[in-house]
Amino acid sequence: MHPSPSGCVHLSVAAGCGGTTWGLQQARNALKEGKHVVWICEESPDVGRFSQMFTNVSPSAVSKLHLSAVGENIETGIDSAISLLKVLSNISLVVVDDWTAKTGKTSADLRISMHELIEECKVNKVSLLIISSAYEDAGGDGWKARGGLKECEIWFLHRCEREERIRELHIDGVVNEFTITDDGFIPRT
């Protein structure tokens, strides 16, 4: 089974585990269904990786990907996504890739913008996938999601200790294993 975000999902990712790839795969699935996807990020996804992920998607479907690479000003991208949600009725997914800084606290303004986006997605019944870096709690309480959005379900994506290409997706205490490939994540049986 390949879980897809429904409602608001905060994907908290260990460094280098493929959070952007997970998001691209979710976007690809929506685009193949003829839906629109809004993608907000600091920098556009790697061109080579993007090409691998979208090889079998028609150009007309890929044209429904609204990409906002906004540098360090993620709030601008969030505002743009909110505007699009107010005028387009066929958006099925919004992805905010790497929405927080890798260190330090998330700014109050960014948190307010994110809460507004969460509410707008709820009103429009649009799935929202928010991706950020995970961190280990200094108190030994395990992995934590940077930014702590209480309105969202939190999923954790980590490497499997026994094999490099296996990723573990933790959802509500259940661990799903995937092999990461050029085509994305493949469920392990």
Side-chain angles (χ1 to χ4, degrees):
M1 179 183 134
H2 197 279
S4 296
S6 175
C8 181
V9 170
H10 185 178
L11 181 65
S12 189
V13 182
C17 274
T20 299
T21 297
W22 184 273
L24 288 171
Q25 189 166 353
Q26 300 302 318
R28 179 182 67 196
N29 294 345
L31 293 170
K32 281 183 168 182
E33 292 175 6
K35 308 284 183 173
H36 286 250
V37 174
V38 176
W39 185 284
I40 303 159
C41 55
E42 282 189 11
E43 296 177 21
S44 295
D46 176 76
V47 174
R49 188 68 179 131
F50 189 88
S51 295
Q52 287 174 328
M53 295 294 295
F54 289 88
T55 295
N56 297 318
V57 182
S58 73
S60 64
V62 173
S63 73
K64 295 176 182 175
L65 176 65
H66 307 274
L67 190 130
S68 293
V70 293
E72 292 182 9
N73 195 354
I74 291 291
E75 290 166 60
T76 300
I78 291 171
D79 291 343
S80 173
I82 291 170
S83 296
L84 283 171
L85 286 163
K86 290 181 180 189
V87 297
L88 291 177
S89 61
N90 52 359
I91 296 172
S92 69
L93 176 65
V94 174
V95 179
V96 184
D97 189 18
D98 234 357
W99 81 281
T100 63
K102 301 212 183 325
T103 60
K105 289 195 169 215
T106 306
S107 77
D109 289 343
L110 179 54
R111 290 178 62 79
I112 289 167
S113 292
M114 188 57 79
H115 290 293
E116 289 171 2
L117 177 59
I118 291 167
E119 285 306 310
E120 195 63 38
C121 285
K122 257 189 225 177
V123 165
N124 289 287
K125 296 180 175 76
V126 171
S127 295
L128 175 60
L129 177 61
I130 303 165
I131 304 169
S132 71
S133 297
Y135 69 97
E136 282 193 83
D137 182 71
D141 290 334
W143 288 97
K144 300 284 184 185
R146 199 167 292 289
L149 299 167
K150 294 183 180 8
E151 305 95 322
C152 300
E153 184 178 1
I154 298 174
W155 297 359
F156 290 96
L157 182 64
H158 303 283
R159 277 188 176 79
C160 176
E161 290 182 14
R162 68 181 188 280
E163 193 175 326
E164 173 61 26
R165 297 206 50 89
I166 297 176
R167 300 296 186 263
E168 296 176 345
L169 180 66
H170 299 251
I171 303 173
D172 290 330
V174 175
V175 179
N176 301 280
E177 286 190 348
F178 296 88
T179 302
I180 189 166
T181 69
D182 288 346
D183 196 42
F185 288 81
I186 311 266
R188 291 178 53 90
T189 52

